[in-house]
Every structure is written in structure tokens, then in C-alpha cells.
Amino acid sequence: MIQFEKTILANGLRVIVHTDRSTPFVAVNVCYNVGAKHEDSSRTGFAHLFEHLTFGGSKHVPDFDTPIQNVGGTNNAFTTNDITNYYITVPANNIETALWLESDRMVGPKFTKKGLEIQRKVVIEEFRQRNLNKPYGDTWHLLRDLSYKVHPYRWPTIGLTPEHIEQATLEEVKDFFFHHYAPNNAILVITGNIAPDHAFRLAEKWFSDIPEREIKNLQIFPEPVQTEGRELTVHRDVPIDTFYVAWHMSSRLDEDFYAADLLSDILSGGNSSRVEERLVKGQKLFAEADVFLSGENDPGLFIATGKLNEGVDFESGRQALIEEVLKTAEAQVTPHELEKVKNKVEAEQVFNEIGYLEKAMQLASYEILGDAGQINQQADHYRNVTADNILKVASGILCSDNCNLLNYLSLKK
Amino acid sequence: MTLKRNNPPPIFGVDGVEYIEPIRFTLKNGVELFTMQSGDQEVVKIDFSFKAGSWYAQSRLDSIMAALMLQEGTKTLKASEIANTFDFYGAQFSSSSSYDYNYITLLSLKKYLHHLLPLVSEIIRDSSFPEEEFEIVRQKRKQRAIVDSGRVGLIAQKSFLRNLFGEGHPYAPVASPAFFDTILLRDVKLHYDNFYRSDNMTITASGFIDTEVIQLITENFSSSWGNSDTAERGNNHRLPIADKMVFIEKEGANQNAVAIGKLFPTQNHPDFPGIKLLCTILGGYFGSRLMSNIREDKGYTYSIQASPISFLHHGVFLIFAEVKTDKTEATVKEIFLEMEKLNSELITEKELIPIQNYLLGRILEDFDGPFARAQTFSSLREVNMDFEYYNRLIDAIKTTTPQEIRELSQKYLAPETMSTIIAGIR
């Protein structure tokens, strides 16, 4: 159980505070309701590029890093398809430095030509390092593009291509800021060694003078129901053949999500899971295999993948994994399996309630979904799932018409 | 009152890191148990460490394979039964190998410990090393090594260590995935028999530790096992003269990996705290000189770091980055220029003070919560040190003068002593 208090400032900023006296630190976490899904399809990678740009200094702060180092803190940020999240951790008595910086980031970044030029280069190097220079690095580009035809989950946060980032102009950058970065489109979470009323007073002091702004989001069209299976085969300079099978599933808030999550655990969470026991160890088809959820807020993907062992025929290996997954649409999982994955989820939730920063991020992500209080409801959602729920969800998701198959083959063969 | 955003809030220094020492118990068999109690979540983390890392392996992969085989079967339990028990109680069990030590870690809700500790005890004493599981693990690791052999970053880092230590040295990674084919099950089993013994083990428990937890640990780990006549391995490896420049071709690379460095003092060396400060200035934090120059000013890379890395018997210094291929030469040149600058110019107060405060904040993190404290304690103990090291580190951070920093740089960062490894395309 995570206790927290919440208030909303006059400008629309939601402020959430959780006190944890076991640490000498506080976390200041600001989560903006803007991610790659809010991008124009001809300007992808923008939310992430923008995250980089905001570290170049803001209206009244020449550079972000020195003040944080000066108070013994650390800071970083990440962008997903749904959100952009910034965080600072500082020894508790230096919380005002963190609030000064995060509030000024919201007032407005320092937009300069040179800053944009450099960060464009840095992000393109990040693109190369993560997606082009690494074996299998373009997997998500291919899989998303295959699985989504309409919804902006079609591209990963780094963007569709480095060209979109190369072409970003200063005008577009400014425009992006004023349409998305605003107190009424953000959540401030403060966790750690601080009392709620003190935290609220300081939040008011640093954030209340930032004006509400008009948020202009492009309309996000839902992905139409897929009516025909799709298949894509690519050949790359990689050592081992692999494949991905992706089925469309529910959104994060749907009750079906919990059943799907437990199902993926039954299939491949841990060494005693079905895939590990039957296909990796039993039939020795795979060196590694995994079944997991893409885990986004809007309707996401239920994914199965495996790297085949040397000498295993590609088609039959792939078929074996697909069949193992499909079995769950035909017969109920056993009571033992269900109890096992529920215990696992329960333990993981307790493990996750230990770090003050992790708690801040989780509170923010549930508030983005509509209600931070959901953090304390999750255990119940999981506990209530029945074997019948899982069977129903599995047979709903795992149809061939709803299936996207990516064959990722080694050039050497 | 209007807010003056141009005026930063006052800065409060980091003072008084609280070193909470663990409580120490000696079990009947002589095993030392250290406990760090704190926190109100009923979670317990128990670490078992053995002097059994690659340093001790007859053939280099024996130690890692021994670690990976532990949960693959015991005299009474099959791998699937072991896996099912850990999974059923939602526990996280890991068995790993490093340069000097092998580790076993159990993270569990306190309420399930009485189901899990007897199992961990059986795994440590009575692993059976079945042939069939061995082949699965071997194949799995080999596949992973094959995938890794396509990554320029790992190619450069591994050849960096091989260049400094020489092929065949226990700290040098193996050159080819084919090495996995040469491992023999009986050697791996022998490694286990020799080193996973009670008199070669230390236990550290952290989190929600009460008398019940201590009682459970005592019950399960107090008897003696293993033959204790295995001799300590001395340091009689002769190190080669490292090449100054190594290039490894990787066709089609989109970025080149650059690794620059040398052998370095170990953590117990009196200069190490000062060296830590020096390396932080050069490449140890986001605003470091290498990051400011090569990422934030030139945009050649996503990330570049310089760090002192200390094993038990040797230390190394490593600067590492993955860079735009056509900027490889320019990056190497800038790296050496930055070292020369440290050797010739004095650092200003303006640059030094934030670094001091940044490092003091990291020290505070090393003691933040029972798990971090236990980790800090264990990693010092492994190199025969204690929290006293932090007094010296804090002292070095606060009092090392710009002159002394320059002297340290001249002593340890002379450009002509460095080896440069590049993996990628010319």
C-alpha cells in the first residue's frame, strides 16, 4: 500500500506527494502527457529529440547539470510512445534546486540553433548505436510498422528514420513545446524524505506562476480491427534466425489486460514456464524464447519470439512456439500455474514498492492513465483473474486474422 | 512576492554520511553472516559469495558455467522442480560469476523464506551437474556469445582486456564463441567441488531481518561441507607488453567503438580516491570534459565515459565510446587532448566544486537503504577493505587541490602509456 496525497494547482498542474522517511533523498518527477504517439507521421522522433533539447538549459537556467551536481543530485529523462518523463533526485534539504530546475523547464527551454544542431547529431548517433549498429536493432521498427497501419504506435520513440530528426527546424521545436509542455498537461510527483504539506507549499511556490496553455494534440485514430494475417520476411547481417509473432490486444486499463499479462507469465515468465520447460529445455528448439506484452497505454501487442538453436529448422521451430501459445486458447491453464503467476506478481509489486524514485514514476504513470490511486488496486485486479478469464482473453487475441509475423533471417544462410 | 527565477535556491552541502555497520555473526561452521536490517516492507535479500570467479578457474569458462549449472539439478531435485519452487513463491534467484567471486542471490518475501532456504542450501551443497542440462546451458551461452560477437562495443571492450592481460589470463575474456565447445563438464563440476564450500563462503542478508530470519539462515547453513584443502591461487600470471594500437575490422559497422586505457592501481592503493576524482572530471558524469566536448559540443557520440575499474588483483582505466565512423580519428585526438589538458592546466574552482558535490551525493546513495548499504559493504569486503575507505574518499574529494589533481594526472594519465583499441570500419 502506497500512501499519497494529491492536489491540483490553479493552472491545472496535478501534484502528488508520497513520504518515505527511510531515505535521505527526495525525487522530483515531472511527467508530461506527450510521447511518440502524439507526433506527426512526417516528424517522428520529435518527442524524444525534444527531451534531449530541454537539457540544454532553460529561460533562467544556463545549464541544467551544474546546479544538480552542485547539490549532490542526479537527473535524467526518458520518452516512451505514451509519455515523456523527467526526474531529479537530490538530498532532501536541496529539494528547491530540483523544483527550480523542473519549473523553469516548464516555463520554457532555451531554444538555440547550435543546441538544436548538436542534439540532432547526438540523437542520430543514438539511433545508430541502438538501432542500426546493433544486431536485431531494427526489430521494433519492422514489427511496429507491420502491426499498425493507422495508430501512431506504428513507429518507435527514436522515430521512423534519422531524416525526420535531421529535418527538424527551430520553429517546429518551439511549436511542439507550447502545444505539449504545460502545467495542465503534466504531473508533478514528489517522493522521499519530505512531509506532504511542505512539498505542496514548495510546489505552489515554484509552479503556480506558470500559465495554463492550450494543448493541441493531433487526433489519434484507433487501430482498425485487423482482418487478415500479415507476414514480413527480412534478411539481415545477423548470426541467428529469429522471428516475432504479434497479436493485437487490449489497452492498459481494460480488465482483459491483467489476464493477458498473467497469460504471458504462464507461457514464459521464469524457468518453470511452459515455453522454457517444453521448448527450450524439453525439445531444445530455442536458445531463448519469450512471450511478453508491449505494455503501452493504448491497445498494445501480445508478442512471442525466439532465437532458434543451431540446426533447428526455422519453420518447425516457429510453428512449435506458435502452437504452444495457441494451446492457451483451447484449454484452461491449471490452478497451480495460475496461483504461481499470481504469487509472482504479488512479490514483484512488493519489490517495486521499495525505491522512492520507482514509486514516483509509478504514481505518475497511473495518474497519466487517469488515477494514481490505481497503484494500490493492481494487486486486486491480478488476484481476481480466473482461468476462465484467461481462456477467454486468449481465444479473443490469438486468431490468425489478428496475427503479424516477422521473419528475421540471417543473410549467411 | 514574485519569484526570482534568476536566483538559484540556496545550496546545502552533503554532510554526515551515516555508515551503519552490519551486524556480524559467525555460524558454527565458521561462515560469517552479515546483516543489514532496515525498511518496513517484508522483503529479504540474501547474498552468498564464494571466492570462485574466473581468477580461480582452470579453464576460463569453468567458473561461469559452474554458476549457471547450479540450478540445473541436485541429488534429489530436477531442474524443473527447482525452477517451479522459486517461481511458485515469486522469488528471484540468481547465480552468477565475475572476475574474482561467484555469487548467489535470493530476493524473496520474508514469509516464504522457510520454503526457499532449504532449497538454496541443497543447491549450494549438492548440485548434480546433469549432462543434458549442461549441453542446453552451453548451447544457450554460445548462442549469446555469437550474437555479442556482432557488436562493436563488446568486441572493443573484450579485446581491450585481452590486450592488457594477454590471451589466457583469467581476467581476459575468451576470443571466440567456439571456446564454449571446449568446456568439459568434469572440469566445471570440479570447479564447483573446489570452491562452493562452506569455508569459502560469506553470507550477507539485508532488508527485513529479524530473529526469525537469522534463525532460518543459521538452521540451513551451519554445517560444514566441501573439501577445504584447495590451495589459494597466487598471482603468478605474467602480463604482456600491451600493443599501443589495435584495430579490429567489423564490416558494415554503423559506428566504430573506441576503447582507450591501461593497467591502473587497484582500489586499496592510497592514490585510488584521488584517481576516482580525476576520472570523474575527465569522464565520470554527465557534465564531464569528454561528454561536454565530444557529445555536447561536437555531437560525435551518444555517450562517452572514463572510469577506473578495480578487480582484486589488478585495476584498469578505460575510456569508452561508440562514435560516428568518420569521426573516429577526430574523437581519439580529442580524447588525448583532454588528457593532455589535465596534465598541463589547473582545474578551476568553478569546475571542481560541482564535481565534489556530485561525488558526495553518490556516496550518500551508496548508503541509501539496506540493500545499497549491504552492497557497499560487500564490495569493499571482497577487496579486503571496509567503510574506512569512504573516509579517505570523502577526504580526497574535499581536499585534493588543483595542483595535486594535475600531479595525479601526470602520474596516471600520460598519453604515451595508453593503448587504443578500435573496432569497426576504417
Side-chain angles (χ1 to χ4, degrees):
Chain A
M1 177 79 181
I2 294 175
Q3 306 271 2
F4 67 90
E5 290 183 32
K6 179 182 158 184
T7 188
I8 302 177
L9 305 190
N11 58 13
L13 179 68
R14 288 173 273 175
V15 185
I16 292 169
V17 181
H18 162 73
T19 302
D20 177 349
R21 295 292 185 191
S22 73
T23 173
F25 287 90
V26 290
V28 169
N29 187 86
V30 181
C31 181
Y32 291 92
N33 191 16
V34 57
K37 73 177 174 193
H38 299 99
E39 292 161 350
D40 184 320
S41 60
S42 65
R43 276 294 177 272
T44 63
F46 224 90
H48 170 251
L49 171 67
F50 197 82
E51 172 216 310
H52 273 253
L53 279 171
T54 68
F55 283 100
S58 55
K59 280 259 153 55
H60 308 89
V61 183
D63 105 87
F64 255 64
D65 294 305
T66 312
I68 293 171
Q69 284 140 24
N70 245 326
V71 298
T74 58
N75 65 321
N76 213 332
F78 60 84
T79 308
T80 72
N81 289 73
D82 296 308
I83 59 161
T84 310
N85 191 80
Y86 299 87
Y87 56 93
I88 299 180
T89 63
V90 285
N93 52 2
N94 283 314
I95 182 172
E96 287 212 56
T97 299
L99 293 170
W100 170 55
L101 295 169
E102 282 308 333
S103 64
D104 212 52
R105 188 185 331 249
M106 200 181 282
V107 169
K110 181 179 69 186
F111 300 107
T112 67
K113 268 222 158 79
K114 158 115 182 166
L116 176 60
E117 216 170 282
I118 293 290
Q119 289 311 319
R120 269 198 307 232
K121 285 192 201 165
V122 170
V123 170
I124 290 168
E125 287 315 301
E126 184 180 356
F127 205 129
R128 289 202 175 102
Q129 185 168 326
R130 294 196 170 160
N131 304 104
L132 304 177
N133 204 33
K134 215 164 110 186
Y136 312 101
D138 63 346
T139 299
W140 282 98
H141 281 90
L142 298 167
L143 190 63
R144 285 180 178 282
D145 194 57
L146 180 67
S147 306
Y148 292 99
K149 298 300 160 198
V150 171
H151 191 284
Y153 284 167
R154 187 155 65 83
W155 54 86
T157 49
I158 192 82
L160 276 173
T161 122
E163 277 89 65
H164 285 183
I165 298 156
E166 256 156 32
Q167 291 157 3
T169 69
L170 207 53
E171 271 321 298
E172 289 171 320
V173 165
K174 283 186 189 169
D175 214 44
F176 190 85
F177 175 79
F178 285 104
H179 290 160
H180 297 290
Y181 279 63
N184 44 315
N185 203 36
I187 294 152
L188 166 65
V189 184
I190 300 173
T191 59
N193 200 337
I194 187 166
D197 50 343
H198 185 208
F200 285 132
R201 258 199 317 278
L202 292 176
E204 178 79 30
K205 172 178 169 186
W206 288 101
F207 285 88
S208 62
D209 70 340
I210 304 171
E212 198 173 326
R213 295 179 183 129
E214 190 192 346
I215 308 304
K216 280 193 197 155
N217 274 332
L218 295 170
Q219 191 178 350
I220 296 175
F221 293 97
E223 184 66 19
V225 174
Q226 188 177 332
T227 53
E228 205 179 358
R230 304 176 188 133
E231 183 165 357
L232 171 72
T233 301
V234 296
H235 294 85
R236 294 283 189 271
D237 181 18
V238 292
I240 294 163
D241 292 342
T242 183
F243 61 88
Y244 285 78
V245 197
W247 294 269
H248 290 280
M249 59 167 279
S250 74
S251 68
R252 179 64 185 80
L253 279 182
D254 196 297
E255 208 52 43
D256 285 353
F257 176 89
Y258 302 96
D261 196 18
L262 291 179
L263 174 60
S264 71
D265 271 345
I266 288 169
L267 281 165
S268 91
N271 287 332
S272 71
S273 62
R274 290 187 180 188
V275 167
E276 192 68 25
E277 225 173 49
R278 298 174 187 175
L279 304 186
V280 177
K281 293 199 140 170
Q283 297 186 44
K284 302 183 185 62
L285 298 176
F286 298 96
E288 30 192 288
D290 197 8
V291 180
F292 61 99
L293 314 184
S294 62
E296 285 122 346
N297 291 353
D298 295 350
L301 299 173
F302 187 95
I303 300 166
T305 177
K307 285 204 172 74
L308 294 157
N309 270 331
E310 266 176 334
V312 174
D313 173 58
F314 181 79
E315 294 279 334
S316 45
R318 189 187 64 185
Q319 199 48 36
L321 180 57
I322 292 175
E323 273 167 21
E324 196 56 58
V325 174
L326 292 182
K327 276 180 202 162
T328 63
E330 265 138 44
Q332 283 195 353
V333 299
T334 67
H336 177 84
E337 285 178 310
L338 187 56
E339 192 181 348
K340 182 175 71 176
V341 293
K342 284 185 179 181
N343 285 346
K344 183 181 166 222
V345 168
E346 182 206 343
E348 272 168 3
Q349 276 175 340
V350 182
F351 299 158
N352 288 339
E353 284 179 14
I354 291 173
Y356 66 102
L357 175 61
E358 289 71 20
K359 285 186 279 192
M361 290 178 183
Q362 283 195 51
L363 283 164
S365 69
Y366 286 111
E367 183 64 23
I368 283 279
L369 283 164
D371 174 17
Q374 274 291 331
I375 199 168
N376 295 319
Q377 311 299 321
Q378 296 302 302
D380 283 338
H381 285 298
Y382 283 107
R383 212 170 292 133
N384 293 337
V385 173
T386 64
D388 199 43
N389 294 147
I390 293 182
L391 181 64
K392 227 178 266 162
V393 166
S395 49
I397 296 173
L398 304 171
C399 319
S400 53
D401 289 348
N402 185 33
C403 178
N404 298 281
L405 187 53
L406 169 64
N407 303 312
Y408 199 113
L409 305 179
S410 169
L411 265 180
K412 283 167 198 152
K413 296 199 173 159
Chain B
M1 192 185 80
T2 38
L3 195 58
K4 296 221 168 58
R5 290 192 178 272
N6 287 315
N7 300 345
I11 294 168
F12 300 98
V14 175
D15 42 28
V17 177
E18 236 189 305
Y19 307 138
I20 301 174
E21 294 277 350
I23 302 172
R24 171 181 169 158
F25 301 83
T26 306
L27 306 187
K28 229 169 45 215
N29 53 1
V31 167
E32 285 184 299
L33 162 65
F34 297 93
T35 65
M36 286 277 189
Q37 142 64 30
S38 160
D40 41 29
Q41 300 285 2
E42 297 211 352
V43 175
V44 176
K45 183 166 176 267
I46 306 179
D47 297 287
F48 303 85
S49 72
F50 302 85
K51 286 181 198 161
S54 56
W55 181 261
Y56 301 93
Q58 283 298 329
S59 171
R60 269 169 306 162
L61 297 172
D62 291 352
S63 50
I64 171 79
M65 288 301 284
L68 295 172
M69 283 302 293
L70 282 191
Q71 48 190 316
E72 298 301 329
T74 67
K75 294 215 172 102
T76 65
L77 297 168
K78 285 191 296 200
S80 57
E81 293 169 310
I82 296 171
N84 191 54
T85 304
F86 286 126
D87 286 350
F88 188 80
Y89 295 111
Q92 295 176 10
F93 173 88
S94 76
S95 173
S96 63
S97 175
S98 187
Y99 294 94
D100 297 298
Y101 287 81
N102 274 16
Y103 306 96
I104 288 172
T105 298
L106 178 72
L107 180 68
S108 165
L109 297 181
K110 192 201 132 189
K111 64 179 174 184
Y112 296 135
L113 275 183
H114 63 286
H115 292 294
L116 298 167
L117 285 180
L119 175 59
V120 174
S121 172
E122 178 160 341
I123 284 171
I124 294 176
R125 293 170 201 220
D126 285 322
S127 257
S128 58
F129 288 73
E131 180 85 47
E132 188 181 345
E133 269 74 11
F134 181 74
E135 290 308 325
I136 295 171
V137 172
R138 182 215 298 275
Q139 176 76 6
K140 212 176 204 179
R141 298 303 289 203
K142 188 184 168 192
Q143 290 270 54
R144 191 176 299 175
I146 289 170
V147 172
D148 285 349
S149 66
R151 303 174 64 168
V152 288
L154 289 171
I155 296 173
Q157 287 177 7
K158 287 181 177 177
S159 29
F160 174 79
L161 290 174
R162 278 200 300 275
N163 183 47
L164 291 186
F165 291 116
E167 300 283 344
H169 187 281
Y171 288 165
V174 298
S176 153
F179 199 95
F180 278 91
D181 297 331
T182 68
I183 313 168
L184 299 174
L185 177 57
R186 73 177 146 79
D187 291 348
V188 174
K189 175 79 165 62
L190 189 66
H191 187 85
Y192 164 77
D193 288 337
N194 282 340
F195 299 107
Y196 282 79
R197 357 175 274 261
S198 55
D199 64 349
N200 195 34
M201 173 174 87
T202 304
I203 308 177
T204 311
S206 49
F208 200 97
I209 309 297
D210 55 13
T211 50
E212 205 183 332
V213 173
I214 291 166
Q215 176 67 27
L216 277 170
I217 295 174
T218 310
E219 268 168 30
N220 283 288
F221 297 96
S222 283
S223 62
S224 299
W225 68 90
N227 52 338
S228 49
D229 55 356
T230 315
E232 276 275 326
R233 169 91 43 106
N235 185 359
N236 49 15
H237 302 279
R238 209 176 304 146
L239 299 185
I241 295 170
D243 288 335
K244 288 286 169 248
M245 177 71 210
V246 177
F247 179 84
I248 304 131
E249 178 101 33
K250 173 76 179 70
E251 241 180 273
N254 256 298
Q255 282 182 316
N256 285 353
V258 178
I260 296 177
K262 61 187 285 200
L263 288 171
F264 230 39
T266 47
Q267 200 178 352
N268 56 3
H269 190 283
D271 282 346
F272 194 85
I275 286 176
K276 176 113 183 139
L277 176 66
L278 175 68
C279 292
T280 307
I281 297 167
L282 179 62
Y285 70 112
F286 193 87
S288 71
R289 291 189 177 184
L290 289 174
M291 277 291 269
S292 305
N293 179 351
I294 293 161
R295 169 175 153 141
E296 291 298 305
D297 187 56
K298 303 202 172 61
Y300 294 166
T301 186
Y302 174 53
S303 156
I304 179 163
Q305 297 101 29
S307 28
I309 302 162
S310 183
F311 311 132
L312 185 58
H313 302 278
H314 296 285
V316 296
F317 169 67
L318 172 65
I319 298 172
F320 177 77
E322 289 177 54
V323 304
K324 210 164 185 274
T325 48
D326 62 345
K327 299 295 179 197
T328 310
E329 218 173 298
T331 302
V332 172
K333 191 175 144 221
E334 290 299 325
I335 291 172
F336 279 103
L337 282 176
E338 289 298 345
M339 284 194 263
E340 272 159 20
K341 229 167 97 187
L342 278 170
N343 292 342
S344 56
E345 294 168 21
L346 293 177
I347 186 171
T348 60
E349 289 276 296
K350 188 169 166 269
E351 183 182 356
L352 185 56
I353 289 170
I355 296 171
Q356 293 170 330
N357 290 330
Y358 169 79
L359 281 171
L360 292 170
R362 302 295 65 70
I363 291 174
L364 200 56
E365 278 180 348
D366 288 347
F367 291 90
D368 181 15
F371 300 143
R373 280 202 299 275
Q375 175 60 45
T376 300
F377 172 79
S378 300
S379 58
L380 285 171
R381 193 171 178 281
E382 282 175 6
V383 293
N384 308 315
M385 294 169 73
D386 56 28
F387 288 158
E388 166 60 20
Y389 166 76
Y390 277 89
N391 289 332
R392 291 197 287 118
L393 180 60
I394 290 171
D395 189 58
I397 291 167
K398 286 185 169 167
T399 65
T400 308
T401 64
Q403 284 77 13
E404 287 166 337
I405 291 171
R406 185 170 64 184
E407 280 161 27
L408 279 170
S409 180
Q410 289 163 350
K411 186 168 167 189
Y412 291 107
L413 299 185
E416 67 277 10
T417 62
M418 301 287 163
S419 292
T420 301
I421 317 293
I422 293 166
I425 55 172
R426 280 186 202 273

